[in-house]
């Protein structure tokens, strides 16, 4: 519709034979002046180049056109000769015999071929992103993303009465959370901040009585060089009044089920749920990949009576524990260098020693520890860990949280090694959603453990059962926060919010030691009849990348930034002149800037 072509390059079939069609697209491939393959957003069509003298001009035009030139072709749809059909192409039963053609724009020599199987460096792909976007995979990713977002809008707005509201991009600093980008203003010394999320605005919309808000929101975080993160990203942002945690969870389950692409199979609701403590104890992380087993097992009681010195040392501490994971068929699939690399990563990343126990084919154990263990203890250990022949056990002893964290990391690394060796543990077509709940409301600061910081953000409400602890022992308070995890990646997070100004002020001033004046507008709003409310934000980029099994979130974003937050295509960020900075009352130390430029 609205264009001069009659059909796209992906829709012609045997039913169109005999019709005259006009196609527009890019030359994907040309062979010896006999035929070419024309490509557009929907697919491929084979174009037959006429060989007779009457069409010599047309033959010369199409035979000499460079690959990726944009052309218009008019011709007759014909069946392919018997035996020349291509079942791999949706249009493989037909071809178009060209009658007229026009080169709309020739293409100069390409920096890389526009084919999915051709390997290109990511830097080159991002420098010529407009060419990379022509690939079938990126076309599919972006069109699927658009389709999912449209279905989400339908579900929220048309079926459940949500209001799509745009919130400001220029705002002010928010206490806690990620580092924000500063934007200079014309008032000397005053800066805007780009919001890391519309958190305050969506709460204020609830105070304003909108009841149900949603937005496909652009968010900004100045997190520097972090792998697979983007300085600007997109959230499906949601807030509701008069709702509890269960209500938000059911809404999101319905939203995902409604918008889920048919070609990816169906998803089952309700999603399973797990507490933060269970996740850490069993998987060593608050975002467990539940597609495979290898859970962490507490073996402290099995070894408490042993004479192993490092085990006894660990268990003598209040939070001391001995835990292990069992790697199925590890002795068969993992080499000695793999086991050494696992132990080395535990040492370098966590400063944690790891002991291994190998179960021989005859069921006996091979380990430095066996000489300290009687037959009964070895049997109990085998039973407790459900060890089979050729399995490998990795054991760690020490402080509870550290031991769980290191074993959680080794669990994922072991799975990668097993799969690289040919043992399939995680079905790439499986989608395992999981709710993680009952997070702590506050965590000790890394730089000063005697002080507390918000585990997520300062607007999260305490768990109803822990309300009194907030004023007596805030470190023990659980929150009404919930994370949505998919295949071991966090794809959403939200909470029930504090709607009492008094409680919000106490959290900011007494617990977090923050200047509440920065949030005076929100505190004031909460005093004017703020309803109970809660919400969630889904990370759209991460969600889509998991659905299409993309190696990076950059593969589902049209124009992403590089690992270092740079736009390699447009060379941003860039320098500006002193004259351009003058209205903002800013001066740059230019020698320093030039020095940094030389470094990069």
């Amino acid at each position: 519709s609205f264009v001069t072509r009659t059909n796209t390059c992906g829709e012609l079939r045997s039913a169109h034979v005999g019709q005259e069609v006009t196609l527009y697209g890019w030359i994907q491939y040309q062979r010896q002046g006999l035929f070419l393959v024309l490509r557009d957003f929907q697919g491929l069509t084979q174009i037959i180049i006429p060989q007779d003298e009457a069409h010599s001009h047309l033959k010369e035009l199409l035979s000499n056109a460079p690959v990726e030139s944009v052309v218009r072709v008019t011709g007759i749809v014909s069946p392919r000769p018997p035996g020349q059909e291509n079942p791999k192409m949706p249009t493989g039963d037909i071809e178009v015999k060209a009658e007229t053609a026009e080169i709309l724009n020739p293409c100069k020599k390409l920096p890389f071929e526009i084919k999915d199987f051709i390997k290109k460096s990511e830097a080159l792909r991002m420098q010529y992103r407009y060419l990379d976007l022509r690939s079938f995979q990126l076309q599919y990713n972006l069109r699927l993303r658009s389709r999912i977002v449209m279905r989400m809008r339908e579900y929220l707005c048309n079926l459940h009465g949500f209001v799509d509201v745009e919130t400001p991009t220029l705002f002010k600093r928010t206490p806690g959370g990620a580092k924000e980008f500063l934007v200079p203003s014309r008032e000397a010394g005053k800066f805007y901040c780009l919001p890391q999320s519309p958190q305050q605005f969506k709460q204020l919309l609830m105070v304003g009585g909108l009841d149900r808000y949603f937005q496909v929101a652009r968010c900004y975080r100045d997190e520097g060089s972090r792998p697979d993160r983007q300085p600007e990203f997109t959230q499906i942002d949601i807030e509701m009044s008069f709702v509890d945690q269960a209500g938000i969870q059911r809404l999101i389950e319905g939203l995902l089920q409604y918008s889920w692409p048919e070609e990816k199979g169906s998803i089952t609701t309700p999603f399973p749920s797990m507490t933060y403590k269970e996740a850490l104890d069993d998987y060593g992380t608050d975002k467990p990949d539940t597609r495979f087993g290898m859970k962490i097992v507490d073996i402290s009681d099995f070894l408490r009576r042993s004479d192993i010195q490092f085990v006894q040392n660990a268990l003598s501490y209040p939070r001391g524990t001995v835990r292990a994971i069992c790697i199925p068929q590890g002795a068969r699939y993992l080499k000695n260098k793999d086991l050494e690399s696992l132990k080395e990563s535990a040492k370098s990343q966590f400063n944690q020693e790891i002991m291994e126990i190998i179960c021989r084919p005859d069921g006996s154990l091979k380990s430095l520890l066996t000489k300290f263990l009687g037959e009964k203890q070895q049997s109990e250990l085998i039973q407790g860990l459900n060890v089979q022949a050729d399995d490998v056990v990795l054991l760690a002893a020490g402080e509870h949280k550290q031991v769980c964290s290191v074993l959680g990391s080794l669990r994922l690394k072991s799975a990668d090694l097993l799969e690289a060796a040919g043992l399939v543990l995680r079905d790439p077509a499986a989608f395992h959603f999981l709710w993680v709940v009952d997070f702590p409301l506050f965590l000790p600061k890394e730089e000063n453990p005697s002080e507390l910081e918000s585990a997520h953000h300062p607007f999260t409400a305490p768990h109803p059962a822990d309300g009194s602890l907030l004023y007596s022992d805030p470190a023990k308070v659980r929150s009404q926060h919930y994370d949505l995890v998919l295949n071991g990646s966090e794809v959403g997070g939200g909470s029930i919010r504090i709607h009492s100004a008094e409680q919000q002020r106490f959290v900011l001033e007494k617990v977090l030691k923050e200047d509440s004046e920065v949030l005076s507008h929100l505190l004031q709003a909460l005093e004017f009849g703020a309803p109970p409310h809660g919400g969630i934000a889904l990370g759209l980029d991460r969600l889509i990348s998991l659905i299409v099994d993309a190696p990076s979130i950059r593969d589902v974003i049209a124009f992403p930034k590089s690992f270092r937050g740079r736009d390699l295509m447009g060379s941003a960020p860039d320098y500006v002149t002193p004259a351009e900075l003058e209205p903002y009352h800013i001066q740059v130390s230019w020698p320093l800037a030039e020095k940094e430029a030389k470094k990069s």
Side-chain angles (χ1 to χ4, degrees):
S1 53
F2 314 117
V3 292
T4 53
R5 66 184 170 216
T6 60
N7 301 87
T8 64
C9 293
E11 67 177 305
L12 295 177
R13 302 290 187 271
S14 297
H16 296 92
V17 167
Q19 293 181 16
E20 182 181 82
V21 296
T22 298
L23 306 178
Y24 288 78
W26 287 262
I27 297 175
Q28 170 102 347
Y29 174 73
Q30 193 265 118
R31 185 175 179 185
Q32 298 175 345
L34 299 174
F35 69 87
L36 59 83
V37 175
L38 198 64
R39 183 194 76 244
D40 68 6
F41 72 94
Q42 201 175 59
L44 305 169
T45 298
Q46 182 166 289
I47 308 294
I48 300 300
I49 301 172
Q51 303 297 309
D52 57 300
E53 189 62 34
H55 291 90
S56 59
H57 171 71
L58 181 59
K59 179 182 178 181
E60 183 183 357
L61 183 77
L62 294 178
S63 300
N64 295 329
V67 169
E68 289 302 310
S69 295
V70 185
V71 300
R72 173 192 59 78
V73 175
T74 297
I76 304 297
V77 182
S78 306
R80 291 199 186 189
Q84 293 186 21
E85 298 91 347
N86 185 349
K88 294 181 180 178
M89 284 175 67
T91 60
D93 290 334
I94 61 91
E95 57 193 17
V96 173
K97 293 184 176 176
E99 293 190 334
T100 64
E102 181 185 357
I103 307 297
L104 300 173
N105 207 339
C107 180
K108 71 175 192 176
K109 184 173 173 57
L110 294 162
F112 53 80
E113 288 188 69
I114 314 294
K115 290 175 182 171
D116 287 317
F117 61 84
I118 299 290
K119 296 289 183 188
K120 293 93 66 175
S121 74
E122 187 161 54
L124 195 64
R125 289 177 58 202
M126 295 181 70
Q127 184 181 351
Y128 296 96
R129 188 62 167 185
Y130 44 83
L131 294 179
D132 199 32
L133 287 171
R134 294 182 189 175
S135 71
F136 276 121
Q137 189 59 59
L138 282 188
Q139 288 274 324
Y140 172 77
N141 293 353
L142 293 177
R143 290 176 190 282
L144 181 73
R145 177 181 177 131
S146 172
R147 205 164 77 229
I148 288 172
V149 170
M150 183 56 70
R151 293 282 288 172
M152 287 180 167
R153 287 185 187 278
E154 286 175 15
Y155 182 84
L156 293 168
C157 296
N158 297 353
L159 298 184
H160 293 287
F162 279 77
V163 184
D164 185 351
V165 181
E166 297 171 5
T167 54
T169 302
L170 296 175
F171 194 45
K172 64 189 288 187
R173 188 182 71 83
T174 302
K179 193 174 181 183
E180 293 160 321
F181 284 102
L182 295 176
V183 179
S185 77
R186 291 175 183 268
E187 293 186 56
K190 292 188 176 181
F191 292 80
Y192 296 106
C193 281
L194 300 182
Q196 51 187 293
S197 82
Q199 182 61 47
Q200 293 182 55
F201 291 111
K202 63 181 182 179
Q203 289 192 241
L204 293 168
L205 287 169
M206 296 305 101
V207 178
L210 261 78
D211 194 72
R212 295 184 173 198
Y213 144 91
F214 128 86
Q215 182 183 185
V216 181
R218 298 293 285 163
C219 304
Y220 308 87
R221 291 179 188 172
D222 187 7
E223 297 186 306
S225 301
R226 296 188 61 179
D228 217 23
R229 292 285 181 97
Q230 287 285 293
E232 48 183 335
F233 55 97
T234 306
Q235 289 182 173
I236 303 297
D237 203 45
I238 291 169
E239 198 80 4
M240 297 173 73
S241 295
F242 311 112
V243 71
D244 60 10
Q245 182 171 309
I248 295 284
Q249 290 175 331
R250 298 297 85 80
L251 169 79
I252 295 304
E253 289 166 358
L255 172 71
L256 288 168
Q257 203 166 38
Y258 185 86
S259 59
W260 197 255
E262 285 183 21
E263 65 265 34
K264 297 296 178 180
S266 59
I267 54 174
T268 304
T269 59
F271 301 152
S273 183
M274 183 184 298
T275 67
Y276 171 80
K277 183 180 182 306
E278 289 169 337
L280 253 58
D281 286 352
D282 292 347
Y283 297 95
T285 175
D286 59 5
K287 42 180 185 289
D289 188 342
T290 55
R291 287 175 296 172
F292 69 107
M294 287 173 59
K295 286 187 181 180
I296 299 169
V297 180
D298 187 350
I299 56 172
S300 302
D301 289 341
F302 296 125
L303 299 179
R304 201 175 295 278
R305 299 182 306 277
S306 73
D307 296 326
I308 305 170
Q309 192 59 48
F310 77 90
V311 167
Q312 295 306 322
N313 288 345
L315 294 177
S316 67
Y317 290 101
R319 295 279 292 163
T321 187
V322 185
R323 300 196 176 221
I325 57 170
C326 181
I327 305 173
Q329 300 295 290
R332 181 182 299 178
Y333 285 94
L334 301 185
K335 299 173 180 168
N336 283 335
K337 66 171 187 176
D338 295 326
L339 293 174
E340 288 304 316
S341 76
L342 291 172
K343 292 196 285 186
E344 177 54 36
S345 76
K347 182 71 176 169
S348 60
Q349 292 179 38
F350 298 91
N351 194 27
Q352 175 72 50
E353 295 289 346
I354 296 293
M355 296 294 292
E356 81 223 43
I357 304 171
I358 297 172
C359 185
R360 298 187 181 100
D362 64 2
S364 64
L365 300 182
K366 175 189 172 186
S367 173
L368 294 173
L369 300 179
T370 50
K371 63 183 177 183
F372 299 103
L373 300 173
E375 281 190 25
K376 185 183 178 187
Q377 286 177 310
Q378 289 187 37
S379 176
E380 286 177 347
L381 196 62
I382 289 171
Q383 198 171 353
L385 288 164
N386 192 25
V387 179
Q388 308 293 321
D390 288 327
D391 287 356
V392 174
V393 173
L394 298 182
L395 178 151
E399 191 274 328
H400 171 263
K401 188 171 182 182
Q402 166 153 322
V403 164
C404 290
S405 296
V406 69
L407 289 176
S409 173
L410 295 182
R411 173 179 178 267
L412 295 176
K413 285 184 168 70
S414 301
D416 290 340
L417 290 169
L418 289 173
E419 291 189 330
L423 181 65
V424 178
L425 281 180
R426 297 167 289 197
D427 180 358
F431 295 97
H432 285 220
F433 282 98
L434 172 74
W435 289 109
V436 180
V437 300
D438 290 354
F439 284 82
L441 188 58
F442 307 109
L443 292 172
K445 287 184 177 179
E446 277 190 32
E447 65 275 15
N448 186 358
S450 64
E451 295 183 3
L452 296 176
E453 63 184 1
S454 296
H456 292 93
H457 59 60
F459 314 115
T460 303
H463 193 286
D466 296 349
S468 60
L469 282 174
L470 178 65
Y471 303 96
S472 58
D473 197 351
K476 292 183 179 177
V477 179
R478 291 168 297 164
S479 71
Q480 291 190 70
H481 180 93
Y482 31 86
D483 273 354
L484 182 61
V485 175
L486 172 58
N487 293 355
S489 290
E490 182 191 330
V491 292
S495 64
I496 301 302
R497 323 298 185 189
I498 296 171
H499 65 277
S500 156
E502 182 184 354
Q503 190 177 74
Q504 184 67 80
R505 187 173 278 108
F506 178 84
V507 166
L508 289 168
E509 295 177 356
K510 305 300 182 185
V511 180
L512 301 177
K513 311 291 194 251
E514 293 275 4
D515 179 9
S516 63
E517 191 58 34
V518 179
L519 291 166
S520 59
H521 56 284
L522 179 64
L523 291 167
Q524 188 178 51
L526 295 179
E527 293 175 328
F528 288 106
H533 58 283
I536 193 168
L538 298 178
L540 184 64
D541 309 310
R542 178 84 54 209
L543 177 64
I544 303 297
S545 71
L546 290 169
I547 291 173
V548 302
D549 195 26
S552 163
I553 61 169
R554 290 186 280 275
D555 290 321
V556 298
I557 300 170
F559 296 101
K561 300 291 186 292
S562 74
F563 169 69
R564 298 193 179 279
R566 290 188 57 82
D567 180 339
L568 300 182
M569 183 181 65
S571 298
D574 203 358
Y575 294 111
V576 296
T577 65
E580 290 170 299
L581 287 174
E582 192 175 346
Y584 302 106
H585 313 281
I586 293 175
Q587 284 185 316
V588 175
S589 173
W590 287 106
L592 177 63
E594 286 162 12
K595 187 177 175 184
E596 289 298 317
K598 283 175 185 173
K599 273 190 199 174
S600 61

